[in-house]
Amino acid sequence: MRDPVDSFDASLIERFDDIIDVRSPAEFDEDHVPGAINLPVLDNEERARVGYTYKQVSRFEARRMGAALVSRNIARHLETALSGKPAGYSPLIYCWRGGQRSGSMALIMTQVGWPAATLKGGYKTYRSHIQTALYGDMPLPPIILLDGNTGTGKTALLPLLEALGVQTLDLEGLARHRGSIFGGLGLDAQPSQKGFESALWHALAQLNPARPVIVEAESSKVGLRTLPPVLWRAMEAAPRIEVRAPVAARARHLVEAYPELRANGERLDACLLALKEHAGKARVAEWQGLAEAGAFEALAAGLIEHHYDPAYARSRARIGGETLATLEADDLDAAGLETLVRRIADEVKAARA
């Protein structure tokens, strides 16, 4: 078996053929090394049984039970997920602390002839690296905020900018939330805070720190996930490119961008009811009536004028950063977005000069 890898850094993801997480599915779902595959040597129920036996019966009985379970599970992985791996296959294996679970898998794989390595300290070593990077010393590229009121197409512009070679950081995509009370509609559940931080670290690690990166203007939280303070402070001070468009165009764009507004009446109604404290019962009742009538563009326009724009004005007043450009768009259809994205790319290029 190869010597354990003493520390974690981004290069390990490329150095090994696979990163194998042998922890239970529940542990893996909470957070894992980006790109890792989960080949648990104990599943959720088995891990709980072994832990109970360790505490309530004896360490020996727990180890005997665990050895039998681990052996069966590794055998199954050899016959399924690992059955097509070639000679010379070189994975990095980790568990919670880099102990028995990863060591057992690595020992057997080495006997097969695969030069497997373990990560010393396991997931805890990886997690320590992420915390140090995001809350300490990770260099950030120059940030330019893509700003604008709700419905101005900021989220849709990011992949278009990426296609033109502009660096982007999609915080809403990483957090699986679009940043408003309707932000979770139609999306999978948000990752854990640890999972969000792993995805954020990995995205930042792919960026060229010498080139500007476009980041959509957000608050310090995206849904329930919190941005690291270093990133948030850099965003607060960053220059911005602001996009403006008429309310009607923004309402049309929101309806197109949020098909869930039409598809899930119960979720929409729950979101509207959550605004009652801020908007008042009468206003919310009016919006509910528009939703029931299928007047979704009128509903979107009402939300823009009476909820989103006032909230944006309050938030914008608290944030600094110079405005590099204010770009007006008459429409936010495909042609309108294409025009905007080229103008934004030109502004980014000018900012680098």
Side-chain angles (χ1 to χ4, degrees), residues 329-350:
D330 294 328
D331 208 334
L332 296 167
D333 58 7
L337 291 174
E338 184 64 29
T339 299
L340 274 175
V341 78
R342 295 193 178 281
R343 295 173 67 191
I344 294 168
D346 288 341
E347 294 295 338
V348 173
K349 184 177 181 180

Side-chain angles (χ1 to χ4, degrees), residues 44-72:
N44 299 335
E45 187 272 335
E46 290 166 345
R47 179 169 175 257
R49 281 169 52 201
V50 171
Y52 177 84
T53 301
Y54 185 92
K55 292 180 180 179
Q56 301 298 325
V57 182
S58 74
R59 179 179 180 181
F60 171 77
E61 286 300 322
R63 290 171 69 91
R64 183 186 62 79
M65 176 192 294
L69 293 169
V70 165
S71 297
R72 283 197 289 270

Side-chain angles (χ1 to χ4, degrees), residues 204-253:
L204 288 169
Q206 310 308 304
L207 298 176
N208 181 341
R211 293 174 51 210
V213 59
I214 290 284
V215 182
E216 184 175 346
E218 301 283 354
S219 69
S220 61
K221 296 184 72 173
V222 186
L224 298 176
R225 299 299 157 248
T226 303
L227 301 181
V230 172
L231 176 59
W232 172 238
R233 287 195 294 269
M235 289 171 61
E236 283 187 301
R240 61 191 63 230
I241 296 171
E242 184 176 0
V243 177
R244 294 180 180 176
V247 169
R250 292 159 57 198
R252 283 194 299 274
H253 178 76

Side-chain angles (χ1 to χ4, degrees), residues 148-180:
N149 288 29
T150 298
T152 48
K154 300 184 296 295
T155 301
L157 288 166
L158 290 179
L160 299 177
L161 286 165
E162 190 78 30
L164 288 180
V166 177
Q167 287 198 133
T168 66
L169 180 64
D170 183 2
L171 295 174
E172 293 185 356
L174 298 174
R176 296 202 293 268
H177 198 280
R178 287 174 286 200
S180 73

Side-chain angles (χ1 to χ4, degrees), residues 61-100:
E61 286 300 322
R63 290 171 69 91
R64 183 186 62 79
M65 176 192 294
L69 293 169
V70 165
S71 297
R72 283 197 289 270
N73 288 329
I74 293 175
R76 187 180 71 256
H77 296 320
L78 288 169
E79 294 168 346
T80 55
L82 299 172
S83 63
K85 300 301 182 183
Y89 174 62
S90 178
L92 175 67
I93 305 169
Y94 72 92
C95 59
W96 178 249
R97 293 188 182 89
Q100 291 181 331

Side-chain angles (χ1 to χ4, degrees), residues 21-33:
D21 185 324
V22 298
R23 298 176 303 154
S24 67
E27 293 171 289
F28 182 83
D29 288 345
E30 182 185 23
D31 184 33
H32 54 267
V33 175

Side-chain angles (χ1 to χ4, degrees), residues 315-329:
S315 175
R316 183 67 184 86
R318 297 194 298 267
I319 299 175
E322 65 172 315
T323 299
L324 297 177
T326 300
L327 307 179
E328 303 277 354

